[in-house]
Amino acid sequence: MAQLIRNPFNWILAVIYAVGLPLTIGRFIFGLGWATHSSYDYPWGLFLGWGLFVMVPLSASGFMLGTTVELFGRKDFKPIERLGLLNGLLGYFFAVVFLQVDLGQPWRLVYPMFVSLGPAAVLFLVAWHVATYLSVQIAELVPAASEFMGWIKPKKFIKSIVLGLTIAGIILSTLHQGALGALFTYAPGKVHPLWFSSAFQWFHFFCSSIFAGLSMLIVVSTLSKWFLKWRCDKTFLESLDRCTLGISKGASLALITYLVIKFIALAHDNNWGYLLTGWGQWYLFEITFGAIIPLALFTTAIRSNRAGLARLAAFFAVFGIALNRLNTALIAFNWNLYQEIPHWREAIIAIMVYATYIVVYRAVLYRLPILYTWKGDSK
């Protein structure tokens, strides 16, 4: 309890909950209109703009680390694999929480999936993929929970099917990351042309999720090293720089592919003229600070073997992907009508839900063998 009181971060959390919890309850009592500025022109705000469109790509680390270790046999990334899986699981889970805060009536979550089906809708596809992928990610982390609880049989069973789980994760993640981009093809005239290309939209979302997930993994592993060093074992700490540089190679390859596709889309749609406008300057700011600078930093870090520089690049890349999704879903949405400012209640509720994400993340890292190897299990 004394440690709980001494930590200044806990006081910040207490203030966030003191203000945010009553507002969240009010949203479910008085409705979405009480908490947001949502309208027919702006069907979603921060709950989906941040909670769904930003958090899902930043959670793509799960299937990529699972693929690297379990499918490609790169056991040298084993010390950071569980952190990648946990980052994926919690990111997807809280994306669903944000979705429920936006939709309301969480007890009716099963309706669009089982009762009132909409197989022609992209969101129907996304809902099923996220639900099944969440199940896969929970199963992939069963060994960590089993070690903590002292259960042997569940861990052995999951290990026997881990290859199938990994392949299922690859298929489901690939499809729903692209499907989130395909969602915007329903509104081709509403998103600014610099952030929309009907031929490449799904590929932009899929390709950017690769470097987003890898960069987010570097960020959370760095924060774990800074603030939870006591929970990390020697294997994790000694291999972190090497793993960071290895992950940076994958992120830089995804970044250069993303940049090439972005410029091909500009040429394909002949949108060069928009670059000379105010929207073009904002677009170039996003591309420069969110993609080109991280790519240059990742490349320099790999060539000079500097893990610290790779971590700086990862922070830039996470900022870039967050800005890209907010631009696509909120800022450049209805660009030729008017700009909607999120309601202050909506902003506070979004901060409170994200704070809960951090609290849960920290609680799991405190307890489960994510940053350390369980005693007696070196495999």
Side-chain angles (χ1 to χ4, degrees), residues 76-97:
D76 47 330
F77 287 94
K78 190 79 175 174
I80 206 170
E81 181 192 12
R82 284 186 177 177
L83 186 59
L85 295 173
L86 178 66
N87 182 65
L89 171 61
L90 293 183
Y92 276 93
F93 178 78
F94 276 89
V96 175
V97 172

Side-chain angles (χ1 to χ4, degrees), residues 280-292:
Q281 292 174 18
W282 183 239
Y283 176 82
L284 290 174
F285 173 84
E286 176 197 308
I287 290 293
T288 302
F289 286 90
I292 295 175

Side-chain angles (χ1 to χ4, degrees), residues 60 63 92 129 133 168-178 206 209:
F63 84 91
Y92 276 93
H129 281 188
Y133 187 48
I170 296 170
I171 296 171
L172 293 167
S173 286
T174 303
L175 291 175
H176 70 242
Q177 292 284 0
F206 168 66
S209 72

Side-chain angles (χ1 to χ4, degrees), residues 20-245:
L21 199 55
L23 294 177
T24 305
I25 295 172
R27 176 266 170 269
F28 285 98
I29 294 175
F30 303 114
L32 195 62
W34 180 80
T36 72
H37 285 155
S38 293
S39 64
Y40 286 116
D41 289 335
Y42 283 91
W44 50 56
L46 288 176
F47 297 154
L48 298 188
W50 173 267
L52 187 67
F53 291 111
V54 173
M55 292 196 70
V56 167
L58 293 179
S59 309
S61 59
F63 84 91
M64 280 182 286
L65 261 293
T67 304
T68 302
V69 176
E70 307 298 341
L71 199 60
F72 296 154
R74 291 294 303 267
K75 302 299 181 186
D76 47 330
F77 287 94
K78 190 79 175 174
I80 206 170
E81 181 192 12
R82 284 186 177 177
L83 186 59
L85 295 173
L86 178 66
N87 182 65
L89 171 61
L90 293 183
Y92 276 93
F93 178 78
F94 276 89
V96 175
V97 172
F98 270 110
L99 183 65
Q100 287 305 298
V101 173
D102 185 81
L103 295 177
Q105 302 184 5
W107 55 90
R108 296 173 69 92
L109 178 63
V110 297
Y111 269 66
M113 301 176 68
F114 297 105
V115 181
S116 182
L117 304 179
V122 174
L123 272 181
F124 176 78
L125 173 77
V126 174
W128 265 103
H129 281 188
V130 170
T132 49
Y133 187 48
L134 264 176
S135 306
V136 169
Q137 288 187 307
I138 290 171
E140 287 178 324
L141 279 171
V142 163
S146 299
E147 290 170 359
F148 181 71
M149 299 298 292
W151 299 335
I152 298 175
K153 287 185 178 178
K155 180 179 176 180
K156 283 186 176 179
F157 173 70
I158 293 299
K159 278 193 170 183
S160 69
I161 62 169
V162 70
L163 192 58
L165 289 173
T166 304
I167 294 172
I170 296 170
I171 296 171
L172 293 167
S173 286
T174 303
L175 291 175
H176 70 242
Q177 292 284 0
L180 277 178
L183 181 67
F184 290 93
T185 58
Y186 282 169
K190 290 192 172 184
V191 183
H192 191 283
L194 288 175
W195 284 273
F196 178 81
S197 175
S198 59
F200 298 94
Q201 195 72 3
W202 73 270
F203 197 48
H204 286 161
F205 271 58
F206 168 66
C207 189
S208 57
S209 72
I210 296 175
F211 71 79
L214 293 175
S215 299
M216 186 65 180
L217 179 57
I218 294 176
V219 168
V220 293
S221 64
T222 302
L223 295 177
S224 299
K225 182 183 178 183
W226 288 349
F227 300 109
L228 292 173
K229 195 170 185 177
W230 61 274
R231 185 39 73 184
C232 307
D233 66 5
K234 189 178 177 183
T235 303
F236 180 85
L237 291 175
E238 290 183 348
S239 60
L240 189 56
D241 285 356
R242 175 182 51 76
C243 288
T244 298
L245 290 170

Side-chain angles (χ1 to χ4, degrees), residues 322-343:
L323 184 59
N324 172 264
R325 294 304 194 265
L326 289 175
N327 278 334
T328 307
L330 293 178
I331 299 171
F333 198 81
N334 282 338
W335 62 285
N336 50 2
L337 290 180
Y338 61 95
Q339 299 303 303
E340 184 62 78
I341 306 296
H343 198 290

